[in-house]
Amino acid sequence: PGLAAHAMVAAGRQIIDKQSSPVEMVALLSPMFDAFLAEPATTETADRVRQGVVLYMGALARHIPADDPRVQTVIARLIEALSTPSEAVQRTISQSLASLFATPAIKPKGAEHLAALQNTLLSTPSFAQRRGAAFGLAGVVKGLGIPALKQHGVMAALQAAVEEKKRGDVESNAREGALHAFE
């Protein structure tokens, strides 16, 4: 089921990306996705479908004007979905974040999202959340450009976490998170 689900999500994203009339597509799909995501997922299957819809929203957000408030909602949902314990989902979200943060109107929010992702990366006890935060950090940095690593102190924070000599769960989680980001 994992390969089939991945193929279906990839096909749906391609359909969204290749639409000839993006305005009509956004008007049609955005309310459907919003309505679906407003309902909580109560089963594992519903949770997987929900992840697919979040990824579709990432593809759809590229066709929404950057100053539209829905774009920030999509970014928040994408970042929230990074905690999904699936590398395929996390990679896809990273790619979506990279394309969104490459947009000039969204770049000013980059520092805020980098700080939040860095905090998750270095402080959460959850492996899936640390791994997802590393993918998210990579996507945002790719969108903002490599100079963002230095401008926002990302490299310094990651280096400090790796070089921390204290022993304990908090420090080892931070080291592991930093190593995920370097990976």
Side-chain angles (χ1 to χ4, degrees):
L3 289 176
H6 182 68
M8 292 297 290
V9 169
R13 287 174 51 91
Q14 270 192 326
I15 290 169
I16 290 170
D17 287 340
K18 299 200 184 290
Q19 278 300 315
S20 59
S21 106
V23 174
E24 291 174 16
M25 180 190 52
V26 169
L28 174 71
L29 294 178
S30 189
M32 288 179 4
F33 291 165
D34 287 338
F36 181 82
L37 292 171
E39 299 294 321
T42 55
T43 66
E44 185 178 333
T45 302
D47 196 42
R48 273 193 242 126
V49 172
R50 185 180 193 79
Q51 292 166 9
V53 170
V54 168
L55 296 174
Y56 290 155
M57 284 194 77
L60 187 65
R62 292 187 211 138
H63 301 286
I64 299 172
D67 58 347
D68 188 316
R70 290 180 294 181
V71 174
Q72 290 304 318
T73 302
V74 170
I75 290 171
R77 285 197 174 132
L78 287 171
I79 289 174
E80 180 182 310
L82 282 168
S83 63
T84 303
S86 162
E87 186 171 330
V89 169
Q90 292 169 341
R91 281 187 191 279
T92 305
I93 291 170
S94 179
Q95 292 165 356
S96 293
L97 290 172
S99 64
L100 289 170
F101 279 96
T103 309
I106 298 174
K107 279 189 180 196
K109 297 277 189 185
E112 171 186 329
H113 291 290
L114 280 175
L117 287 165
Q118 198 170 313
N119 183 48
T120 300
L121 180 72
L122 300 176
S123 66
T124 187
S126 165
F127 176 82
Q129 287 180 338
R130 284 193 308 272
R131 186 91 171 141
F135 276 108
L137 193 70
V140 174
V141 166
K142 183 176 181 181
L144 295 175
I146 298 299
L149 287 170
K150 185 164 182 146
Q151 290 170 349
H152 301 290
V154 174
M155 291 303 290
L158 295 177
Q159 186 173 354
V162 168
E163 292 174 351
E164 178 61 58
K165 300 292 184 215
K166 290 183 187 173
R167 295 186 186 268
D169 289 345
V170 172
E171 292 81 11
S172 65
N173 287 341
R175 269 191 302 278
E176 183 179 51
L179 291 172
H180 285 309
F182 282 130
E183 183 185 326

